[in-house]
C-alpha cells in the first residue's frame, strides 16, 4: 500500500518541476532558442509522467479495498498536477508561435 503523504509529495514535487521547466522553455523560446525550449519540454514530460504515474497508483489503490481519505493536501496535489499539464500544453502552442516568427 502506498503511503498517502509520500505519494502526495511525489505528485507535488514532480508536477512543480514539470511546470517550472515549461516556463523555462517559454523563456528560451522568447529568446529565440527553440531547440533548447523543445529540450526543456521533453524534460518537463519526464517529471509530468512521474507525477501522473503516482496519481494512477493512488486511483488504482482507491478503487480497490484501500480507500483513501480526501484531504486538502490531496486536492492540492491534484491542483499542481492539473496546472502543470495545462502549462505543458500551452507552452508547446506558444513555442510553436515563437517558432513561426
Amino acid at each position: 500500500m502506498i503511503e498517502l503523504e509520500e505519494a502526495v509529495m511525489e505528485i507535488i514535487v514532480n508536477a512543480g518541476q514539470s511546470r517550472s521547466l515549461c516556463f523555462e522553455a517559454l523563456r528560451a523560446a522568447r529568446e529565440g532558442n527553440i531547440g533548447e525550449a523543445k529540450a526543456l519540454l521533453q524534460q518537463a514530460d519526464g517529471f509530468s509522467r512521474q507525477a501522473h504515474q503516482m496519481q494512477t497508483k493512488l486511483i488504482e489503490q482507491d478503487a480497490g479495498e484501500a480507500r483513501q481519505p480526501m484531504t486538502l493536501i490531496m486536492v492540492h496535489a491534484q491542483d499542481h498536477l492539473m496546472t502543470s499539464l495545462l502549462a505543458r500544453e500551452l507552452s508547446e502552442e506558444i513555442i510553436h508561435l515563437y517558432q513561426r516568427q
Side-chain angles (χ1 to χ4, degrees), residues 14-98:
N14 285 309
Q17 185 62 30
S18 177
R19 182 183 173 279
S20 293
L21 287 165
C22 288
F23 282 95
E24 284 184 45
L26 287 173
R27 281 189 286 282
R30 186 174 59 236
E31 294 169 0
N33 300 321
I34 301 300
E36 180 183 350
K38 289 181 178 183
L40 287 163
L41 286 183
Q42 285 184 330
Q43 289 178 39
D45 289 344
F47 286 101
S48 181
R49 201 169 11 264
Q50 289 178 46
H52 192 262
Q53 286 171 348
M54 181 53 71
Q55 178 197 42
T56 300
K57 288 178 186 177
L58 284 174
I59 290 169
E60 288 170 350
Q61 185 172 296
D62 190 61
E65 294 181 23
R67 303 284 305 175
Q68 294 291 335
M70 184 52 64
T71 63
L72 185 56
I73 192 76
M74 175 58 81
V75 172
H76 183 64
Q78 290 297 113
D79 185 45
H80 269 273
L81 180 56
M82 296 310 296
T83 57
S84 73
L85 293 173
L86 180 59
R88 171 60 177 86
E89 289 178 39
L90 287 173
S91 294
E92 186 169 8
E93 292 302 317
I94 293 168
I95 289 168
H96 282 300
L97 291 174
Y98 278 121

